[in-house]
Amino acid sequence: MTGSRPPAVRLRHLAAPLFALTVTLAAASPAGASTGHPTPTIVDTARGHGTVVSYTFDDGPNPVDTPRLLAVLRARHVRAVFCVQGDHAREYPALVRRIAAEGHLLCNHSLKHDDLGTWTVDQIRADLLATNAAIRAAVPHAHIPYFRAPFGSWGATPEVAAGLGMQPLGWRLAITDWEPPGTDELVRRLMDGITPGAVVLMHDGGGDRSQTVEAVNRTIPLLRAAGYRFTLPARGH
């Protein structure tokens, strides 16, 4: 079939590359471009006012579900935060590069997902620096604005992370997707548990996350229909 696309189709056709350019430029922004300065306060709120929400994903990347999740976020025009494990960044550097190139923010989630809650300041600093080095081996000069403690076991990590330029990132809603209960149940937990300003904790690594990916795909349009806007987490108080 020949001929030009109808106007609406042409607009959609042009929107994808324009969005890709926008998020790529955002990923390349220098560290100083972020608003606010890191503090030891654990933030669990999304930027902006009213019905805003932030999606965050832990324990990746993994070669099966992270690409599927990135495709969903790209199609839905949502930016998210990926809390990356250093050992996974070493194993799958191309996926870390893709996360950054598609405009998402990177978060330090420790080197091996150890419980850092009882570690000394020096031990924590060494782990966080090693994790940042693993991420930057994949994405040189990467901006890593957040740190999230494995298991939410914070100990002395907030002070160390802030000293290294990373805001401690918590959450208001965890849908317990590390024990996959079925996509319908994940959608229900998210829709029932969401509150304005929430940072939502989900996972793209640590196991089969196909249910999470589908729940993300289904809830984005539902939340938008309910008046929600997708933003990034706050940066200090």
Side-chain angles (χ1 to χ4, degrees), residues 206-225:
D208 180 354
R209 301 296 176 229
S210 58
Q211 294 178 13
T212 299
V213 173
E214 182 55 28
V216 168
N217 188 42
R218 286 168 53 180
T219 56
I220 290 172
L222 292 174
L223 287 169
R224 281 187 169 140

Side-chain angles (χ1 to χ4, degrees), residues 94-118:
L95 283 178
V96 181
R97 286 192 289 273
R98 180 175 170 185
I99 290 168
E102 296 195 10
H104 306 290
L105 295 192
L106 297 169
C107 169
N108 181 317
H109 196 42
S110 83
L111 191 62
K112 297 181 179 179
H113 208 273
D114 292 314
D115 185 339
L116 310 183
T118 61

